[in-house]
Each structure stands twice: as structure tokens, then as C-alpha cells.
Amino acid sequence: MHPQLSSHPAHGSATDRRLNSMLRHIDPSIASSSLSSMDSQISASPTSGFHGDSVFAHVAQAPEDSILGVTVAYNKDPSPIKLNLGVGAYRTEEGKPVVLNVVRKAEQLLVNDRSRVKEYLPIVGLADFNKLSAKLIFGADSPAIQENRVTTVQCLSGTGSLRVGAEFLGRHYHERTIYIPQPTWGNHPKIFNLGGLSVKYYRYYDPATRGLHFQGLLEDLGSAPTGAIVLLHACAHNPTGVDPTLEQWAQIRQLMRSKGLLPFFDSAYQGFASGSLDADAQSVRMFVADGGECLVAQSYAKNMGLYGERVGALSIVCKNADVASRVESQLKLVIRPMFSNPPIHGASIVATILKDMNMYDEWTVELKAMADRIISMRHKLFEALRAKDTPGDWSHIIKQIGMFTFTGLNSEQVAFMTKEYHIYMTSDGRISMAGLSSKTVPHLADAIHAAVTRVR
Amino acid sequence: MLLLNMPQWDQDLNEEKPYCDIGITREYLVQGAYRDDNGKPVVLECVREAERRIAGNANMEYLPMGGSIKMIEETVKLAYGEDSHLIKDKRIAAVQALSGTGACRLFADFQKRFSPDSQIYIPVPTWANHHNIWRDAQVPQRTYHYYHPESRGLDFAALMDDIKNASKGSFFLLHACAHNPTGVDPSEEQWKEISYQFKVKGHFAFFDMAYQGFASGDPERDAKSIRIFLEDGHLIGCAQSYAKNMGLYGQRVGCLSVVCEDEKQAVAVKSQLQQLARPMYSNPPVHGALIVSTILGDPDLKKLWLKEVKDMADRIIGMRTALRENLEKLGSPLSWEHVTKQIGMFCYSGMTPEQVDRLTSEFHIYLTRNGRISMAGVTTGNVGYLANAIHEITKSG
């Protein structure tokens, strides 16, 4: 039977299409065997073609991402004095995004090297990048690395590393529950759920002190089932900026090891928090030093400013080299049906910088400058609030660390600040210190002062 | 199924490339990556130029979750046609994806979430990773007849039977052009019949288009199957990749698109695709997308790209001709017509696994055991050697 094709492309309006499908519903005597004659009547008309209802007609629009929605709203605001403190990306004093000089240098080296090709990377990614990333987080002299107990695979930034790790655990680990801190980055629960894990929370932030709820943390992890997975922010907790002290980390480590809890570190801010790459890796290294196993997701989005290049790595520290090798083979089976092999550009930039002593040093200097600028913004804001005698204890602003401050402001106060002062931030009271400059601190201080005194 | 026993990815063979130290060259005809006539990998000139323009100028901020708007705009034009009314009517939900793999995976996840009772029909044979992708998305799979070993062509009758026998509204994976691994494509007439039968059964067509431009040398011609379906009013899905046709393999640049009833639905579908991308990688990589949008957005660079793509396709077509002619000149008793009938990067030679093993052990020629030859690895320098070796192995029938 020759297909009856209209000679014109199907230009049917949505109305035409609905009429066509309604027709089939209205007359139930149209059996499927006569459908083809029905179709030939339909397709004879030059302005309609076959249009069954879309199989995805029922798909509802997803809600706007709450963090990205902040920037959308900010962009719409016509006020000349607006401030975007939602963005989790570094900004200069002038409010501009930055590409590190050392990154530009690396880029030029790559572009000028005509011998470079753009072939597929291996499934596990760029070998140099993987080795250097492991050294960066575990320390160059880490025994775990020397004993070949670490497998590292290149992934798409922190998100991708977490997802590949979650999928691996979902398939191969006997405990399918991961404990994550309350609160945590909004994307964490989704990543783990889709990876096949169920999510439970452990107490972390104490609104009363605007600090760590250490007692609650110990209790909740203490009552977790043996072997459960625990997500730990390696440093610069997102969104609170509240980190355990080294002593507290030691206690956490001891508790977790005694219960066989499996640590899964999210390291998105190494070097960016304190300004020191080694200091910011202490929590991870403490766990690795005891010979136990753990997972670590690394991101170069912030500390190398490579945001959009999606560069990261997942490392799994295993008991011995044989296990590590088998684990790696299984990671490949997770990666292959997800994206086959990771993107080459960003990883090449990282490897170029990390393997060259001079470029590495340059990087640490630029990194420290970014971290220092943020720390100075913290101090400026704190001073400004103190000078205004704003009610409340604002010391958490300088105690918290990293890109974000959990101000402690409630959603009504946040809404007030947006409406009256054009300050854009997430409704949980989180502000990105990276979005502040010495010029804009006074405006923010005014806004906070007004919110605290006029809105409960 | 033989295919599933294959090494997971021919890349794995690529990773260790032992070059024999006594001077015998090994011919690798395995990799799915283009080589020039010297057997070297190629970076297109248009890509080099684009990179020169990008380096030092672009910042590296996050792309939106759905990827680069500009890149997506140019990419859907390629698949759907520059003047497509679907584009004008904003009926296409499209997101940047991690090359073809990522586009297929996003669609599979979307299919699982919004058509949870559906299955996917996959051709036999197909790219091995297709099975992995839909399996990991937890979408049940069925197969449909495709390759006809006796004729080394399309098993059209069996294919049509499978389409007719599938329950109404089934999801089918179709290779838009240059079927991987066989190189066997339906003719235009056959595509029209397939499209018609899909109408009758209300099937959903998902096109994997990894070789647009690379197959015939003409991107418009290579999109013909898709255009036929669109003319018939199908609401298709499509995975596109720039890995081969722009040589951007390692950059992982691609696009997933879904045709919707109207703009409102397209917005909704795109928002849901983004919801799937967010917990996988948050937002896609910027560099490859910038290369694509730089090239396709500049008329001169685009012209250069079209020429370079045609050159690559022509070289491969030339090698097919040369291989066949060589075999015929050697007096092979077998028909090698399929070598020039098949299209794209791969040739399904019809050799058995045992014959392939002999090819490797006696002649140091590496193929995948299903007899698939990567024509991209064939050069004027080695085609004679290859023909000779194949003839030696197959001449006794």
C-alpha cells in the first residue's frame, strides 16, 4: 500500500490537530482497521497532516530553579542600585566575572599547540588530570596514592562527580541510604535520589547560634545504621559557611569509623575557603590518614574559575590496589551510558597548570587573592553593621567561611530587602559574599539594618 | 547476541596501542574517529579558527541548565531545516547535551519519567552503547530487524513487520543516516513507507543523528529521513552530535530536541529536560558549544565547515570505491557491492569472527569481530594491503 503523503509540509494549526484527534474520540465506530482510510482523508488536505496527540502532552512545566530564579529577577529590576547576592560565582571588586590570568595562559598554550587534537578522552578522562587532582586533594605524599589505593575519574564538575559516585554506590554498596547535612546545597538530594540512594538528614546548622549543631550532628550520625553513607562538605559548607573545627572533625571521624559509616566528601571550595589549598583539605586528609575508605568529589568551578567548563573529579579511596582497580572498572560502566567520556578542554587547562611549578604557584596567588577579598568583605560588612549598632550578634559573618554567609534573616526580611533595597538573595537568607564590593557593603548594611529593625 | 559480547567500546582497544618493535605496521580499523589520508587525526581549520577567536575573550561562566541558546538555535536549524515552521512556531524543546551519548541518555531518562510504561525498540545491530543507555535509564528494550546478513543490506520486509506488530504508540530508535555499525540506510522510498506505518501505529520516532554531513557530504541530504517524518507531521525526538562532523569528539557537544504540539508544551518539555540535566551535571560544558556557535554563526566559517565536512565524507567514499575495486581486481569470488552501497564511517564487511581473527593474527589488521571496518582508518597507503588481506582470507569462500 502506497503511503498517501500530502505534497505540502504539514502546517496544521494546533486547532487542526486537536480536531483530528477529537474526531477519533467522538466517533467510536472508527476502528483501527479503518484508520488508514481515515488517515488518507486527513492527509489529503494540504494544511493538515498526521498529528496524533503528543505522547508528552501531559508534561507539566517544572518550577523555576530557586537559585537561578534570583538572577532572573535581578536582571528584570530596572533600579540602578540593585545588588545580586544570589550568584554562586566569584565577582571582582567591580562586580565582574573573572578568568584567572594563569588560566588564560594555559588556554593560549593549548591553542597555540598545533599538535593537540580533540579526540575522545578515555572513559575515565585525562590521565594527568586525574593523577594531579588526586595529589591536590590527598596531598602529594599521600600513602593512599603511593599504595595505588585511589581510583580517580574525571567527571563534570562537582555535580557530575557526585552523580557518578552516587550511581556507583547505588549499584555496588550494601547500604542505600545517604545522610546529608541540614541544610545543604539544593541539588544534593536530587543527585543522590536519581543515583538510586535514599536521603536522610543529620542536624548541622543551629539557627540559635548561627553555628554548628555539633551535639545534634553526633547524635544523628551516632544513630545512623552501620555502614550508612554520610555526605560531608570538606570545607566552606554551602549554604551556611559553617565548618567544624579540626577538633570537631577528629571526633566526627572517630564516630564514623567506629560505626563503619562511609564518608562521601564534597570538595567544591578547596583553596577558596581559607586561601590555603592544604588547610582546606585537612578534613579529607584526616580521614584518609587512618587508612579507611572514602569518596571525594572535587570541583574546579570556583577555585580555578572554570565554572562553565565543567571540570571535576571523583576519587574513591579503597582498602587496597586490587579493590581500587575493580572499582574503577565499574565506574567506567556508570560513565559510558551517561556521557561516554568527559570533556577535554577544562581538564587540559587544569592539568597544564597543576603540572607546571610556576603556573601552579601563580594559581595559588590568584586563588588566595580571591579568598582574601571575600574575607575582607566579611569584615567590612561586620564592621558596617557594628557601626550602625544593628541589633543582634553578627559575628557569624566573620566566623563563617567560604563564598556564602547564612545571615539568619528570615524570608519576610529577605522579601523586604528585595522590595525596598533591591537586594537579591535566596529566601533562606543566604548571601554570596563574592557579589559584594567595598562600594556596595554600605547599601547592604543599610538593608539588613532596616530589615532587622522593621520586619520581624 | 554477538554485539553484546563485544568489548564495551572500541575505544578500549584504542587506549593501548602496542606498536610492534620490529617494524610491522598495525592497521587499526576500529576507531570511530576520522583519520586523514596519512592516517592522522584531524582538527578542522574552521575549529582552529574558532578556538583562536574564543581564547582570551570568553569568560567561563555557567551556561544555563539547558545550554548555549545560540548553539541550540544553530543546531536545530541543521536538523529541522533553516526555514522550518517548527522553529518559527517555537515548537521544538531543545537542550544542549553531552554529545550523542548525553542526548540519548537525557531522552531515555525523560522517556522513563514521563512515559514510564513505554519500551524502546532498538535495531539489530546497533551501536553497543544504545543498549547500555536505555538500560541505565531503566527503560525496557525490545529489538527490531534491521540488517540482512545475506544481502549485507536492509531487511526491509522484516523491519516493516516489526513496526506493524509492535503495539500502538511504541517508541523506536532510528539511525537518521549512516547506520552504526552496518552503514546500511533505508532508501528515501523506504523511509517514506516507514514513516507512513509509524503514522498508522502512532509510534514515536527517536532519531539518533551522529553523522549529519559526514555520510553523503551534504547535511541537508543526510537529514532527509528526519524531514520525511516531519513532513508527515510526526512529533519526533532527535539526538545530534558534533563529535564526527565537526571533529569535536572530546568536547562532548550535542543537542537533544523534542518536537511538541505548541510553544507552551515546548517550554514545559524543555523545563523538564533541564530538571533531568541538573542532577546529572548541572549545566553543559561551554567550550565546545562556543566553537559550534562561532562557526555556525559566521557565514564564512560555516562555509569553510561545510567544505571540510564534504572533504571528509568524500575521502571515505573514495576509500570505499578503492577497496571494492581492489577486491574485484584481485578476482574475489564474492560480491563487494555492499562496500560502496553502505554509507558513513563504517562498513559491515560480512566477514565472520573467525575470519576477522585471522585478519588480525596473519595480517595485523584490527577490526571489531562483527566484521565492522572503520573506513575512516583506510588510506590510499593501506587500501591495497587491506584488500589483499581480505581477499586472502575470503577467497576460499
Side-chain angles (χ1 to χ4, degrees):
Chain A
M1 170 177 195
H2 254 295
Q4 306 269 335
L5 292 177
S6 50
S7 52
H8 297 276
H11 258 284
S13 65
T15 318
D16 284 345
R17 292 191 287 282
R18 293 204 198 289
L19 282 176
N20 284 341
S21 73
M22 262 166 54
L23 215 47
R24 281 197 289 281
H25 292 297
I26 288 169
D27 188 351
S29 67
I30 298 176
S32 51
S33 56
S34 57
L35 201 58
S36 35
S37 59
M38 189 68 200
D39 276 346
S40 54
Q41 286 174 33
I42 294 171
S43 46
S45 158
T47 56
S48 75
F50 166 75
H51 278 300
D53 282 332
S54 164
V55 296
F56 299 121
H58 61 289
V59 171
Q61 175 144 3
E64 184 81 62
D65 184 282
S66 61
I67 299 175
L68 298 176
V70 170
T71 298
V72 169
Y74 168 84
N75 287 334
K76 284 201 186 118
D77 188 331
S79 164
I81 50 149
K82 56 183 179 174
L83 200 51
N84 188 353
L85 301 180
V87 66
Y90 182 80
R91 293 286 178 271
T92 61
E93 261 285 310
E94 294 72 40
K96 299 263 176 290
V98 139
V99 177
L100 302 187
N101 287 327
V102 74
V103 166
R104 285 275 180 245
K105 251 193 215 158
E107 256 199 321
Q108 284 300 329
L109 286 173
L110 294 171
V111 119
N112 292 332
D113 182 359
R114 273 200 74 97
S115 72
R116 287 197 70 249
V117 292
K118 305 204 183 300
E119 299 274 286
Y120 293 121
L121 285 177
I123 297 172
V124 298
L126 192 59
D128 279 353
F129 167 84
N130 290 337
K131 284 199 190 64
L132 292 160
S133 294
K135 284 212 187 113
L136 185 65
I137 187 68
F138 299 119
D141 50 0
S142 165
I145 295 179
Q146 275 151 21
E147 292 158 19
N148 284 319
R149 296 195 285 116
V150 182
T151 169
T152 306
V153 296
Q154 182 189 338
C155 295
L156 282 104
S157 210
T159 307
S161 306
L162 290 164
R163 176 62 178 270
V164 170
E167 296 259 346
F168 169 79
L169 293 172
R171 286 170 210 207
H172 299 287
Y173 189 61
H174 58 89
E175 264 292 327
R176 300 287 156 81
T177 308
I178 182 163
Y179 282 74
I180 69 181
Q182 178 74 273
T184 193
W185 180 44
N187 206 17
H188 276 143
K190 294 176 206 159
I191 294 171
F192 296 122
N193 281 330
L194 287 188
L197 303 174
S198 60
V199 164
K200 283 203 155 82
Y201 287 87
Y202 61 90
R203 277 169 288 172
Y204 190 84
Y205 178 71
D206 186 350
T209 60
R210 296 186 176 83
L212 184 66
H213 200 322
F214 193 49
Q215 210 37 52
L217 183 158
L218 291 175
E219 278 171 25
D220 290 346
L221 292 189
S223 56
T226 308
I229 311 158
V230 179
L231 177 74
L232 302 164
H233 294 224
C235 70
H237 180 271
N238 177 4
T240 68
V242 169
D243 284 350
T245 62
L246 280 178
E247 291 74 34
Q248 289 171 326
W249 271 122
Q251 274 187 265
I252 295 169
R253 185 200 64 78
Q254 195 166 44
L255 171 63
M256 284 183 61
R257 293 310 197 193
S258 74
K259 292 192 56 87
L261 301 176
L262 181 64
F264 195 156
F265 282 97
D266 185 355
S267 174
Y269 298 98
Q270 188 188 2
F272 206 95
S274 69
S276 156
L277 288 158
D278 288 325
D280 289 347
Q282 281 314 301
S283 59
V284 173
R285 295 184 188 176
M286 195 187 286
F287 275 74
V288 175
D290 69 14
E293 300 178 313
C294 67
L295 290 84
V296 184
Q298 275 172 280
S299 167
Y300 290 94
K302 287 86 172 170
N303 63 9
M304 250 196 223
L306 293 174
Y307 305 94
E309 302 293 347
R310 319 310 294 128
V311 208
L314 170 71
S315 287
I316 304 189
V317 180
C318 307
K319 264 290 190 283
N320 59 56
D322 177 59
V323 171
S325 153
R326 283 183 278 124
V327 163
E328 179 164 307
S329 71
Q330 292 295 340
L331 288 174
K332 284 158 87 163
L333 296 188
V334 168
I335 290 169
R336 178 87 171 108
M338 205 185 278
F339 51 89
S340 280
N341 43 76
I344 190 174
H345 189 69
S348 305
I349 292 175
V350 172
T352 302
I353 293 171
L354 293 184
K355 69 159 67 120
D356 178 302
M357 243 178 32
N358 292 325
M359 293 182 86
Y360 181 92
D361 286 343
E362 267 189 65
W363 173 48
T364 59
V365 168
E366 288 191 84
L367 181 52
K368 186 163 190 313
M370 287 195 290
D372 284 350
R373 194 184 88 68
I374 289 188
I375 291 169
S376 92
M377 289 302 104
R378 290 183 176 279
H379 285 276
K380 285 203 159 69
L381 180 60
F382 175 69
E383 295 303 327
L385 289 171
R386 257 224 316 220
K388 298 174 81 69
D389 228 357
T390 306
D393 176 3
W394 298 98
S395 60
H396 56 285
I397 293 179
I398 47 179
K399 284 197 216 145
Q400 291 168 6
I401 192 169
M403 202 179 278
F404 303 112
T405 293
F406 231 37
T407 54
L409 297 163
N410 62 41
S411 53
E412 287 80 30
Q413 291 167 326
V414 169
F416 169 84
M417 285 168 57
T418 305
K419 185 156 179 286
E420 302 296 327
Y421 287 83
H422 309 278
I423 309 269
Y424 290 83
M425 52 197 276
T426 49
S427 57
D428 57 4
R430 183 192 86 166
I431 54 176
S432 167
M433 305 310 289
L436 273 178
S437 70
S438 343
K439 284 201 259 318
T440 54
V441 161
H443 179 65
L444 177 61
D446 286 346
I448 293 177
H449 186 90
V452 163
T453 51
R454 285 156 58 181
V455 183
R456 286 287 154 248
Chain B
M1 210 201 299
L2 173 69
L3 211 56
L4 296 177
N5 295 330
M6 268 175 60
Q8 200 72 43
W9 174 231
D10 41 38
Q11 242 188 305
D12 287 333
L13 288 172
N14 236 10
E15 286 184 28
E16 39 265 290
K17 252 190 181 176
Y19 276 101
C20 183
D21 57 9
I22 54 170
I24 299 174
T25 325
R26 298 183 181 212
E27 300 299 344
Y28 281 87
L29 301 177
V30 167
Q31 72 279 355
Y34 181 78
R35 293 284 177 275
D36 65 14
D37 201 43
N38 297 313
K40 296 273 177 285
V42 155
V43 177
L44 302 186
E45 273 312 312
C46 61
V47 170
R48 290 219 188 272
E49 175 55 28
E51 286 214 296
R52 271 192 288 271
R53 295 185 195 180
I54 293 167
N57 281 323
N59 67 44
M60 292 163 176
E61 295 281 283
Y62 292 124
L63 282 176
M65 273 188 287
S68 156
I69 307 279
K70 193 144 189 292
M71 177 263 190
I72 291 166
E73 269 173 17
E74 293 296 336
T75 303
V76 299
K77 274 197 234 167
L78 273 181
Y80 295 89
E82 290 232 1
D83 301 318
S84 165
H85 70 96
L86 294 170
I87 297 179
K88 288 198 187 72
D89 295 345
K90 302 200 177 150
R91 285 175 50 198
I92 302 177
V95 294
Q96 181 184 338
L98 294 160
S99 208
T101 307
C104 287
R105 175 60 179 269
L106 258 192
F107 182 77
D109 282 349
F110 179 77
Q111 181 186 352
K112 177 65 184 177
R113 185 171 277 190
F114 292 101
S115 291
D117 300 328
S118 68
Q119 305 163 320
I120 184 83
Y121 278 80
I122 295 184
V124 177
T126 193
W127 180 46
N129 206 26
H130 280 143
H131 293 287
N132 301 330
I133 290 168
W134 268 272
R135 180 204 61 220
D136 275 18
Q138 293 172 39
V139 174
Q141 304 174 27
R142 305 188 71 144
T143 57
Y144 63 92
H145 288 85
Y146 191 83
Y147 180 66
H148 192 244
E150 288 74 32
S151 64
R152 293 170 179 67
L154 185 65
D155 196 345
F156 187 58
L159 188 160
M160 291 305 285
D161 275 345
D162 286 346
I163 293 174
K164 287 178 191 142
N165 293 332
S167 50
K168 280 183 150 297
S170 294
F171 284 67
F172 275 76
L173 169 69
L174 303 165
H175 295 226
C177 65
H179 179 271
N180 177 4
T182 67
V184 170
D185 287 348
S187 67
E188 220 176 286
E189 275 316 303
Q190 289 172 326
W191 273 122
K192 286 181 178 158
E193 290 201 43
I194 294 169
S195 170
Y196 178 76
Q197 199 55 44
F198 266 55
K199 274 161 61 168
V200 171
K201 301 286 305 197
H203 290 330
F204 183 94
F206 183 73
F207 283 94
D208 185 356
M209 183 156 66
Y211 297 97
Q212 187 183 13
F214 205 94
S216 70
D218 176 2
E220 282 298 294
R221 196 163 137 201
D222 288 345
K224 192 63 184 163
S225 59
I226 291 178
R227 306 292 170 81
I228 286 169
F229 270 67
L230 294 175
E231 267 187 38
D232 284 354
H234 289 287
L235 302 174
I236 66 165
C238 181
Q240 288 169 269
S241 165
Y242 286 102
K244 287 83 170 170
N245 62 11
M246 235 185 239
L248 294 178
Y249 307 95
Q251 304 290 349
R252 320 312 292 130
V253 208
C255 180
L256 167 66
S257 53
V258 178
V259 178
C260 302
E261 288 179 0
D262 51 39
E263 183 179 352
K264 183 159 174 275
Q265 197 205 355
V267 168
V269 167
K270 178 165 175 157
S271 75
Q272 293 293 352
L273 291 173
Q274 288 173 180
Q275 288 290 311
L276 289 163
R278 177 71 163 138
M280 202 186 287
Y281 48 84
S282 279
N283 41 75
V286 65
H287 189 73
L290 265 180
I291 294 175
V292 172
S293 59
T294 302
I295 291 171
L296 297 184
D298 176 315
D300 291 331
L301 277 182
K302 182 169 179 179
K303 220 168 123 196
L304 175 56
W305 172 60
L306 289 170
K307 178 187 175 300
E308 291 189 278
V309 156
K310 187 168 190 313
D311 287 345
M312 289 195 287
D314 283 349
R315 194 186 86 68
I316 289 186
I317 290 167
M319 287 301 100
R320 288 182 177 278
T321 307
L323 179 60
R324 176 179 167 182
E325 282 176 356
N326 270 278
L327 284 163
E328 287 168 354
K329 270 206 205 88
L330 287 166
S332 171
L334 305 170
S335 165
W336 296 100
E337 198 188 18
H338 55 286
V339 172
T340 48
K341 265 187 87 178
Q342 291 167 5
I343 192 168
M345 203 181 279
F346 302 113
C347 166
Y348 233 38
S349 62
M351 286 187 285
T352 66
E354 294 70 37
Q355 287 174 324
V356 170
D357 289 344
R358 280 188 62 200
L359 215 54
T360 306
S361 59
E362 292 174 37
F363 292 91
H364 311 287
I365 295 175
Y366 291 78
L367 317 179
T368 47
R369 290 189 89 236
N370 54 7
R372 185 192 83 168
I373 301 173
S374 170
M375 296 308 296
V378 180
T379 68
T380 49
N382 65 20
V383 67
Y385 179 75
L386 175 63
N388 188 60
I390 293 176
H391 178 59
E392 282 302 312
I393 305 284
T394 60
K395 64 187 177 186
S396 38

